[in-house]
Amino acid sequence: MNLPFLPAHTLHKLLKKKEISVREIVTALFDRIEKVESKIKAFLYLDKEGALKQADEWDRRIAQGDKLGSLTGIPIAIKDIICIRKIETTCASRILKGFVPPYSATVIRKLSRAGMIIIGKTNLDEFAMGSSTENSAFQTTRNPWDLETIPGGSSGGSTAAVAAGEVTLALGSDTGGSIRQPASLCGVVGLKPTYGRVSRYGLIAFASSLDQIGPITRDVRDCTSLLQIISGPDKMDSTCLNCPVPDYSQALIPHLKNMRIGLPREYLISGIEKEVRERIMEAVEILKDLGAQVEEISLPHTPYAVATYYLIATAEASSNLARYDGVGYGHRTPEKTRLIEMYKKSRQEGFGNEVKRRIMLGTYVLSKGYYEDYYGRAQRVRTLIRQDFDLAFEKVEAIVTPTSPSVAFRVGEKTDDPLQMYLSDIFTISANLAGIAGISLPCGLGRDNLPVGLQILGKPLSEPTILRVAYAYEQATRWTEKLTLPQELSDDRVSK
Amino acid sequence: MKKRIEQEEVRYIAHLARLQLSKEEEIKFARQLGKILEYVEKLKEVDVSDTAPTFHVLPLFNVWRKDKTGVSLSQEDALSNAPAKRRGHFQVPRVI
């Protein structure tokens, strides 16, 4: 039995039958981490001792006959932008080095209540700004499929850790694709919930009108279970939707009879790799075989999504990141200066390149004389992008697209050209602007045998619909089970 | 349209953003921001004259709670990450 690569629902069955203990699961993961982490560099913080302590506590409670929830005793890794009380949270930024939050995010409290074992914090692009995890101030995470390539980003530490068998589940955050794009590039499942479905309390803010926390998992069933646990209203986040959470497991139906699915013509045009397009078209055939009616639709404002996003996200970021002033927490320059210079020097020393670039762009587009031309216009185009989806969802229940126009690119390939890097989010960004739900799951291999992701989008609160499409597709293809890492990292992967 | 940002403008924006950029950064950001702004010029193609802005995707207005004292951070916790503190306060450099 190869515990590091088993999905949570399989581990749950084994725990239930008392064939394994939580301690055995945790130990197996840390053995795996010891073996591969020096190559992958997914984690910024690991807590073996704490994890084993939690494991023993749950083993004791299970032995006493405590009820075993679907994810009780299952290990999880947390993107290091989500606060955990008394555990350093850095956002992969020097400005927050040493910051120890005095409170935990709502999602963390929910995970603990569900009996999940938090094993560590994962790497990201600084403040979640990036698409490759190369903007981390501390380390570059590698894609387990090819160590010369990036894992995607910004939740690249979380997706690489799951893909490499270092952890069973992970949480990420998605502002413009930061869960779905790295999930796609690492061959795992990642879901961005509807804006407001999951509490943002304790998620360190990047762009508040776009950010959402979501699950990163080995398969769709695990994604469903983890979403179930983290969703729901929260009085600590007034933008969190005050509506009941359905039983997502009801959505796991292995066929798509009477389902209407749209294929946006704007998503299959220029700039997309040949193999990516082929995998998506093959996936469409499978969706048809499963009973879905697939029709071409149009989202005419798609070509404006990236520009709209980079104006809105940077404007919000420049305002959110104003709080790092070297006073309440975070880095303060050691130089003796007056107040304003202290702010400027602390921020200069603490922030990395991409963060400064985005603060600059955001400040520029909000500044006097430019506001209406840039930020104001972007807000209006955002309305048009939303309306495209509203119209499309009158005709179809779900939309399928590639998650990323390419498979994982090489380390360093796009670091000197911010615009090229931004364009790698071209298919994921619209969902954040419109506030809708989206999932990415593996749909085969593309160029250089690297994973390709299929993105499924649905209207607000349609998580059951997109999970159903994803599940039916996964059951029909079994990609999530069939994909195995290259030899270098799969030595100890045996058949299940 | 070619979009140019002068170094002087970069310095002014950096001041607004409270960033002390180095000379090299000023040159680099002038070039890169110019390129990005050139790209976003394409939004000018879109007719937005009859379109209202979206500030937020949710149909949310004011969310109220009862005006009652709840649990909050202790003074000690609130100060626990302060780079400098004194007698229960955050300490900053001299202002005047």
Side-chain angles (χ1 to χ4, degrees), chain A residues 100 195 239 303-304 327 329 332 337-338 344 347-348 353 356-357 364 370 374 377 379-380 383 433, chain B residues 3 9 15 17-18 20 25 28 32 37 42-43 45-46 51-52 54-55 58 81 83 91 93 95:
Chain A
V100 180
Y195 184 81
T239 62
Y304 305 106
V327 176
Y329 43 81
R332 178 187 289 194
T337 56
R338 295 175 67 94
K344 288 185 176 181
R347 290 162 64 79
Q348 167 67 5
N353 251 321
K356 284 181 204 167
R357 191 154 42 229
Y364 180 84
Y370 296 112
Y374 290 110
R377 179 168 283 269
Q379 297 280 37
R380 289 171 209 278
T383 304
L433 290 169
Chain B
K3 189 83 197 167
E9 196 167 13
H15 167 70
R18 299 290 185 261
Q20 182 84 54
E25 283 174 318
K28 187 174 69 183
Q32 291 176 334
L37 289 171
K42 70 193 293 182
L43 293 187
E45 298 163 12
V46 187
T51 309
T54 294
F55 293 102
L58 298 179
N81 283 288
Q91 194 180 13
V95 182

Side-chain angles (χ1 to χ4, degrees), chain A residues 67 86 163 200 207 418 425 432 442 459:
Chain A
K67 194 173 164 284
K86 290 189 173 165
R200 292 183 296 116
D425 296 335
N432 300 77
K459 65 183 176 189

Side-chain angles (χ1 to χ4, degrees), chain A residues 170-441:
Chain A
L171 285 185
S173 66
D174 191 315
T175 305
S178 279
I179 288 173
R180 290 160 289 155
Q181 184 257 19
S184 166
L185 271 42
C186 288
V188 297
V189 177
L191 183 141
K192 182 203 94 72
T194 302
Y195 184 81
R197 179 73 290 184
V198 177
S199 168
R200 292 183 296 116
Y201 179 69
L203 168 67
I204 295 176
F206 159 14
S208 307
S209 82
L210 305 164
D211 297 341
Q212 268 292 286
I213 295 172
I216 292 163
T217 63
R218 222 166 271 300
D219 66 15
V220 177
R221 185 178 288 278
D222 279 4
C223 183
T224 305
S225 314
L226 186 50
L227 181 66
Q228 193 78 50
I229 285 170
I230 61 175
S231 297
D234 179 17
K235 64 179 188 330
M236 301 304 281
D237 174 5
S238 59
T239 62
C240 196
L241 289 165
N242 192 13
C243 48
V245 181
D247 177 359
Y248 292 124
S249 68
Q250 301 288 317
L252 303 181
I253 309 165
H255 68 77
L256 297 172
K257 282 195 191 86
N258 302 321
M259 175 81 77
R260 291 164 72 191
I261 295 178
L263 188 63
R265 67 173 76 99
E266 293 81 3
Y267 280 58
L268 289 169
I269 46 171
S270 61
I272 160 170
E273 279 178 10
K274 179 169 114 324
E275 295 86 350
V276 171
R277 177 203 291 267
E278 286 167 5
R279 293 300 92 77
I280 301 305
M281 296 321 289
E282 287 161 14
V284 165
E285 289 310 308
I286 287 165
L287 297 177
K288 285 182 189 162
D289 292 345
L290 287 163
Q293 265 176 279
V294 182
E295 55 189 281
E296 192 176 280
I297 57 159
S298 175
L299 298 167
H301 294 91
T302 301
Y304 305 106
V306 172
T308 303
Y309 174 85
Y310 276 94
L311 293 175
I312 291 173
T314 56
E316 292 186 20
S318 72
S319 150
N320 271 325
L321 272 61
R323 73 190 64 180
Y324 303 100
D325 57 4
V327 176
Y329 43 81
H331 173 76
R332 178 187 289 194
T333 182
E335 285 181 47
K336 261 200 138 37
T337 56
R338 295 175 67 94
L339 187 65
I340 301 287
E341 282 67 42
M342 187 278 279
Y343 294 154
K344 288 185 176 181
K345 281 208 155 61
S346 301
R347 290 162 64 79
Q348 167 67 5
E349 292 163 7
F351 289 134
N353 251 321
E354 180 61 21
V355 174
K356 284 181 204 167
R357 191 154 42 229
R358 293 201 196 190
I359 290 174
M360 290 290 289
L361 182 60
T363 306
Y364 180 84
V365 304
L366 289 176
S367 65
K368 195 175 164 194
Y370 296 112
Y371 180 96
E372 203 35 60
D373 265 3
Y374 290 110
Y375 184 65
R377 179 168 283 269
Q379 297 280 37
R380 289 171 209 278
V381 180
R382 183 178 186 181
T383 304
L384 296 172
I385 291 169
R386 281 179 70 188
Q387 287 170 352
D388 281 357
F389 281 107
D390 288 347
L391 279 175
F393 287 127
E394 281 174 19
K395 290 209 297 195
V396 296
E397 290 158 85
I399 294 172
V400 297
T401 80
T403 307
S404 166
S406 74
V407 294
F409 43 92
R410 299 183 80 72
V411 173
E413 189 178 323
K414 298 186 182 181
T415 39
D416 289 332
D417 191 345
L419 193 54
Q420 275 312 305
M421 190 69 97
Y422 297 173
L423 288 170
S424 56
D425 296 335
I426 191 158
F427 298 141
T428 47
I429 265 172
S430 299
N432 300 77
L433 290 169
I436 62 175
I439 186 171
S440 175
L441 78 162

